């Protein structure tokens, strides 16, 4: 019996794609570099393979570790399909594209372009914070624009963080890992899903928490704060008990402009009602501080 989370071996064929090598592992997926056999181009393939629920059998199928996990594995697979559907419906230069979706080995495979670049989370670990104002605006304004599209489509990301932002040439960002993407209905959606300490606001920790676009806004503010001071912010439950997070406008006033620090503090308000209610509202406050090139590019994209 194969060990849990065993990756597909190099050379394995999945549809029209041949695996080159595994390149990353997440809590719910395995990521591979592969070749499109029809075009010869390199692609990235994301395989649904949850660490705590699944193993690979001798026929390479993804199966539950035990029958008690079967229902959870089936539910997770449905959420993975939801991610693919959400991504395929979103056409934005700063949201990762879906090239194809395959069903094989009793699981799903999402095929994406192989975008050269670096991960913002890894870059932060090297730099220890202190990223420039121009860098932050170059990265997070397009991210907010991408989130604004999602929010207009009644979707929330629910896992915005530096590790889910890929930087291409010229620091052009790409928002990754929409595995937590959650379509909203008329009523406010409930929390209790994906949690990343420091980036997830309080409402995301509880099943009766009211999550929405304002939840993504908190995560953007927390990501900006990390890029500034090099530390993951105090987790929201700890802030609720004893908030030791010094407002950015006080802690970083000698290093960053007031408009940006105010945006961070506004976004990270503990009370969801006191934050920007969606990415567009936060973005609008930043636009007057951007150069004409970006404003023109954003206007043209919306026409």
């Amino acid at each position: 019996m194969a060990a849990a989370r065993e990756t597909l071996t190099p050379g394995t064929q999945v549809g029209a794609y041949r695996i080159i090598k595994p390149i990353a592992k997440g809590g719910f997926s395995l990521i591979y570099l592969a070749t499109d056999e029809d075009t010869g181009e390199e692609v990235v393939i994301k395989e649904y393979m949850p660490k705590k629920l699944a193993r690979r059998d001798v026929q390479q199928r993804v199966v539950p570790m035990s029958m008690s996990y079967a229902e959870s594995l089936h539910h997770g697979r449905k959420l993975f399909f939801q991610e693919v559907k959400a991504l395929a419906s979103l056409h934005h230069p700063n949201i990762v594209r879906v090239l194809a979706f395959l069903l094989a080995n009793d699981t799903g495979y999402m095929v994406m372009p192989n975008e050269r670049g670096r991960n913002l989370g890894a870059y932060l670990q090297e730099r220890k914070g202190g990223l420039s104002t121009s860098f932050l605006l170059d990265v997070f304004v397009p991210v907010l624009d991408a989130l604004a599209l999602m929010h207009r489509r009644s979707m929330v990301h629910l896992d915005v963080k530096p590790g889910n932002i890929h930087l291409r040439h010229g620091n052009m960002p790409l928002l990754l890992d929409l595995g937590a993407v959650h379509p909203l209905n008329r009523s406010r959606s409930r929390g209790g899903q994906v949690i990343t300490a420091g980036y997830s606001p309080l409402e995301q920790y509880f099943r009766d928490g009211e999550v929405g676009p304002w939840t993504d806004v908190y995560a953007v503010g927390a990501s900006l704060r990390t890029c500034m001071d090099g530390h993951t912010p105090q987790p929201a439950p700890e802030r609720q008990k004893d908030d030791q997070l010094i407002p950015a406008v006080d802690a970083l006033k000698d290093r960053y402009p007031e408009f940006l620090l105010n945006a961070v503090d506004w976004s990270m308000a503990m009370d969801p009602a006191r934050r920007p209610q969606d990415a567009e509202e936060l973005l609008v406050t930043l636009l007057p501080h951007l150069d004409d090139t970006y404003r023109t590019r954003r206007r043209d994209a919306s026409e």
Side-chain angles (χ1 to χ4, degrees):
M1 201 174 279
R5 294 272 285 180
E6 181 180 340
T7 59
L8 294 171
T9 57
T12 298
Q13 194 81 16
V14 179
Y17 305 92
R18 187 173 298 278
I19 300 296
I20 298 174
K21 62 181 180 179
I23 55 175
K25 294 183 179 182
F28 296 93
S29 59
L30 299 172
I31 314 294
Y32 304 92
L33 183 66
T35 301
D36 184 330
E37 295 285 89
D38 294 331
T39 65
E41 294 183 356
E42 288 187 351
V43 296
V44 172
I45 296 181
K46 182 176 184 177
E47 177 187 41
Y48 178 67
M49 178 65 154
K51 181 178 181 179
K52 296 181 180 180
L53 302 177
R55 62 177 178 84
R56 199 181 305 282
D57 69 10
V58 293
Q59 295 177 305
Q60 299 194 35
R61 297 176 302 184
V62 174
V63 298
M65 287 185 179
S66 70
M67 288 311 298
S68 62
Y69 293 129
E71 184 176 348
S72 294
L73 183 62
H74 175 70
H75 178 67
R77 192 182 297 121
K78 287 175 63 177
L79 292 179
F80 183 73
F81 297 164
Q82 176 179 292
E83 172 189 3
V84 178
K85 184 178 179 181
L87 276 173
S89 73
L90 297 171
H91 302 286
H92 191 282
N94 303 105
I95 296 176
V96 66
R97 287 188 298 126
V98 176
L99 298 177
F101 179 66
L102 309 170
L103 294 174
N105 301 324
D106 287 350
T107 194
Y109 296 86
M110 180 168 60
V111 184
M112 300 164 284
N114 181 30
E115 301 269 11
R116 304 289 182 177
R118 57 188 176 181
N119 180 271
L120 176 59
Y123 181 59
L124 261 176
Q125 287 186 339
E126 296 173 8
R127 294 292 303 270
K128 309 297 183 186
L131 304 185
S132 70
T133 297
S134 60
F135 178 93
L136 295 181
L137 293 175
D138 284 347
V139 170
F140 283 96
V141 166
V143 166
L144 282 169
D145 197 59
L147 288 169
L149 172 62
M150 293 178 61
H151 295 166
R152 288 194 298 273
R153 299 282 186 87
S154 297
M155 299 177 187
V156 284
H157 188 287
L158 297 184
D159 199 21
V160 178
K161 58 187 176 184
N164 280 340
I165 298 174
H166 180 75
L167 302 176
R168 296 166 291 181
H169 179 71
N171 294 323
M172 286 295 295
L174 194 63
L175 188 59
L176 303 178
D177 201 1
L178 276 74
V181 162
H182 198 80
L184 295 169
N185 54 29
R186 286 177 149 184
S187 61
R188 291 187 172 188
S189 200
R190 299 298 177 179
Q193 298 187 31
V194 174
I195 297 294
T196 302
Y199 301 101
S200 298
L202 194 64
E203 67 266 20
Q204 210 166 342
Y205 281 77
F206 305 104
R207 293 203 175 275
D208 61 350
E210 295 184 346
V211 302
W214 50 88
T215 306
D216 287 339
V217 167
Y218 184 101
V220 170
S223 298
L224 276 164
R225 181 71 187 255
T226 301
C227 289
M228 291 175 172
D229 62 20
H231 309 292
T232 301
Q234 184 184 16
E238 294 180 17
R239 290 188 65 195
Q240 184 189 37
K241 294 176 183 177
D242 180 19
D243 194 347
Q244 298 182 7
L245 187 67
I246 301 171
V249 74
D250 295 323
L252 298 161
K253 62 184 178 182
D254 296 330
R255 298 169 63 184
Y256 294 97
E258 187 175 9
F259 81 87
L260 189 56
L261 298 176
N262 283 331
V264 169
D265 290 337
W266 186 26
S267 301
M268 294 188 69
M270 290 293 289
D271 181 354
R274 299 184 65 182
R275 295 177 213 146
Q277 291 301 285
D278 57 26
E280 184 74 21
E281 186 176 358
L282 178 58
L283 185 58
V284 165
T285 69
L286 299 178
L287 289 179
H289 304 279
L290 305 179
D291 61 34
D292 292 336
T293 301
Y294 179 79
R295 285 198 293 270
T296 300
R297 188 167 69 238
R298 187 170 185 267
R299 184 179 62 248
D300 292 344
S302 64
E303 292 176 349

